[in-house]
């Protein structure tokens, strides 16, 4: 009867970070570059959405008005 061994894997960091150490060229490099841009844009979007969740006092602490936070959060993902 076969024995199965569980292999623990580290938590994924990001698609690009986990692939970048393997080296990249050609199509693989191009795909990784596109994934990097998408990942950066999504991270920026998450940060913008976090501004909407902050209270006016928290926004004041970081030097942003509610109107500026609303303007920033309303920007499209690609900007």
């Amino acid at each position: 009867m076969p024995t199965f061994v569980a292999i623990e894997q580290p938590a994924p960091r990001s698609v690009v970070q986990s692939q970048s150490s393997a080296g990249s060229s050609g199509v693989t490099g191009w795909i990784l570059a596109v994934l990097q841009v998408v990942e950066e844009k999504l991270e920026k979007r998450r940060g913008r959405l976090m501004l909407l969740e902050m209270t006016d006092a928290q926004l004041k602490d970081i030097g942003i008005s509610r109107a500026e936070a609303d303007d920033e959060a309303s920007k499209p993902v690609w900007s």
Side-chain angles (χ1 to χ4, degrees):
M1 176 170 274
T3 303
F4 295 98
V5 178
I7 300 173
E8 289 188 35
Q9 295 181 344
R13 293 173 284 167
S14 77
V15 173
V16 176
Q17 288 174 338
S18 62
Q19 296 294 327
S20 63
S21 61
S24 58
S25 62
V27 175
T28 304
W30 182 82
I31 291 171
L32 290 176
V34 170
L35 288 175
Q36 178 70 41
V37 170
V38 169
E39 188 173 26
E40 290 170 2
K41 296 294 183 183
L42 291 175
E43 182 62 31
K44 185 179 275 192
R45 181 67 182 149
R46 283 189 289 271
R48 289 174 174 167
L49 291 175
M50 287 175 62
L51 290 174
L52 293 177
E53 297 176 5
M54 292 181 167
T55 65
D56 289 337
Q58 290 171 322
L59 291 171
K60 184 178 178 182
D61 284 345
I62 62 172
I64 298 176
S65 70
R66 172 61 60 194
E68 290 170 323
D70 291 341
D71 288 342
E72 188 66 25
S74 68
K75 291 181 180 179
V77 172
W78 54 86
S79 70

